[in-house]
């Protein structure tokens, strides 16, 4: 079955560490997105990519980095520069306007 | 740029009662509108969408939403809710060929 796989489901990070969240899709979608979800704030766009080897900053890109070397993969790195990284992270992909397919999310906690 | 406002953060409702979730948007150009649902600790699922044509759109599980251009609204309704409808609901807007902007979400809690 086609879909988006995010891993790991839960991730714990120590202060000052970089961590990478994985997002893989087998839907043949061109566009991929990373959102951060905090209680009461909805989803905020971190980065998005509309084609391989190209990506753009979203609304809250500071402290994050991405790569898009393959169509299927769009990993997100949370760097030590991100001051408040504890959140639920969602990856999505789309082939047409608005019809996003979401992964099941990664919950990142700083310990 | 477009934006979305969901007017209610929490909506408690009894089972078999009707529910309405309010969504208003702002945009200087024509938009596409969406409702997504999120169950606990899961990703979002598309519930329904308005792209063009009939302003009343329906989902397979009894939800409907009506696009009102003059009031810039896209409210979601269901005439009779079930316990399984307990979830968070997000309204989203997009201009053609562009990314989605989401509202802050409305948590629906259905009680027996």
């Amino acid at each position: 079955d086609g879909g988006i796989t995010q891993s790991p489901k839960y991730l714990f990070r120590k202060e000052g560490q970089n961590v990478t969240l994985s997002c893989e899709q087998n839907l043949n979608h061109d566009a991929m997105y990373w959102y951060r979800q905090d209680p009461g704030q909805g989803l905020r766009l971190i980065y998005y990519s509309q084609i391989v080897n190209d990506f753009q900053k979203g609304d809250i890109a500071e402290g994050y980095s991405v790569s898009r070397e393959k169509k299927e993969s769009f990993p997100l790195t949370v760097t030590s520069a991100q001051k408040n990284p504890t959140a639920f992270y969602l990856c999505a992909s789309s082939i047409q306007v608005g019809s996003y397919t979401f992964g099941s999310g990664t919950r990142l906690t700083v310990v | 740029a477009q934006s979305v406002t969901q007017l209610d953060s929490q909506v408690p409702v009894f089972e078999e009662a009707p529910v309405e979730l309010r969504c208003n948007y702002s945009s200087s150009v024509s938009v596409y509108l969406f409702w997504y649902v999120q169950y606990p600790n899961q990703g979002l699922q598309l519930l329904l969408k308005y792209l063009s044509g009939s302003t009343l759109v329906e989902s397979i599980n009894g939800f409907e939403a009506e696009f009102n251009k003059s009031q810039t609204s896209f409210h979601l309704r269901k005439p009779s809710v079930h316990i399984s409808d307990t979830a968070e609901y997000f309204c989203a807007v997009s201009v053609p060929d562009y990314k989605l902007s989401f509202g802050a979400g409305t948590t629906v809690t259905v009680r027996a």
Side-chain angles (χ1 to χ4, degrees):
Chain A
D1 288 338
I4 293 186
T5 302
Q6 288 187 244
S7 62
K9 190 172 179 66
Y10 298 96
L11 186 58
F12 296 90
R13 190 194 93 169
K14 292 183 179 179
E15 295 275 357
Q17 278 185 337
N18 292 356
V19 290
T20 297
L21 284 59
S22 171
C23 178
E24 303 278 335
Q25 55 103 354
N26 60 3
L27 300 165
N28 201 33
H29 287 174
D30 288 318
M32 296 187 74
Y33 312 83
W34 273 106
Y35 286 89
R36 170 180 171 141
Q37 186 176 19
D38 297 282
Q41 296 192 47
L43 280 71
R44 294 182 290 169
L45 183 65
I46 304 172
Y47 268 98
Y48 64 104
S49 168
Q50 295 180 312
I51 197 168
V52 175
N53 292 322
D54 187 44
F55 48 82
Q56 287 78 39
K57 292 182 179 180
D59 301 318
I60 55 164
E62 185 175 353
Y64 300 97
S65 65
V66 293
S67 63
R68 187 83 187 278
E69 297 176 1
K70 300 186 299 182
K71 189 175 187 177
E72 301 79 19
S73 179
F74 191 42
L76 173 74
T77 297
V78 184
T79 74
S80 57
Q82 171 49 239
K83 298 306 178 189
N84 185 22
T86 294
F88 191 51
Y89 291 87
L90 286 163
C91 179
S93 70
S94 72
I95 197 166
Q96 58 179 283
V97 175
S99 295
Y100 285 20
T101 300
F102 280 86
S104 57
T106 293
R107 189 166 297 280
L108 173 64
T109 303
V110 174
V111 296
Chain B
Q2 65 274 20
S3 66
V4 178
T5 302
Q6 290 184 243
L7 298 168
D8 307 291
S9 60
Q10 308 262 355
V11 174
V13 58
F14 286 107
E15 193 173 19
E16 298 184 4
V19 69
E20 178 180 76
L21 309 184
R22 297 178 293 168
C23 172
N24 286 96
Y25 70 92
S26 65
S27 176
S28 58
V29 299
S30 297
V31 297
Y32 300 145
L33 294 156
F34 308 85
W35 277 98
Y36 281 81
V37 59
Q38 183 181 34
Y39 299 102
N41 294 311
Q42 295 186 25
L44 278 68
Q45 303 170 32
L46 180 64
L47 191 58
L48 46 76
K49 61 185 176 183
Y50 170 79
L51 301 181
S52 65
S54 173
T55 57
L56 183 66
V57 291
E58 298 177 351
S59 71
I60 58 172
N61 56 353
F63 283 95
E64 65 178 30
E66 185 160 20
F67 169 56
N68 188 320
K69 189 175 181 179
S70 63
Q71 296 185 6
T72 60
S73 67
F74 192 56
H75 301 333
L76 180 70
R77 303 182 182 90
K78 188 171 185 178
S80 176
V81 295
H82 303 290
I83 297 289
S84 60
D85 293 323
T86 294
E88 190 160 17
Y89 294 80
F90 291 93
C91 184
V93 62
S94 173
V95 298
D97 300 325
Y98 205 60
K99 59 189 185 298
L100 281 179
S101 294
F102 288 88
T106 298
T107 300
V108 173
T109 304
V110 181
R111 299 167 180 160

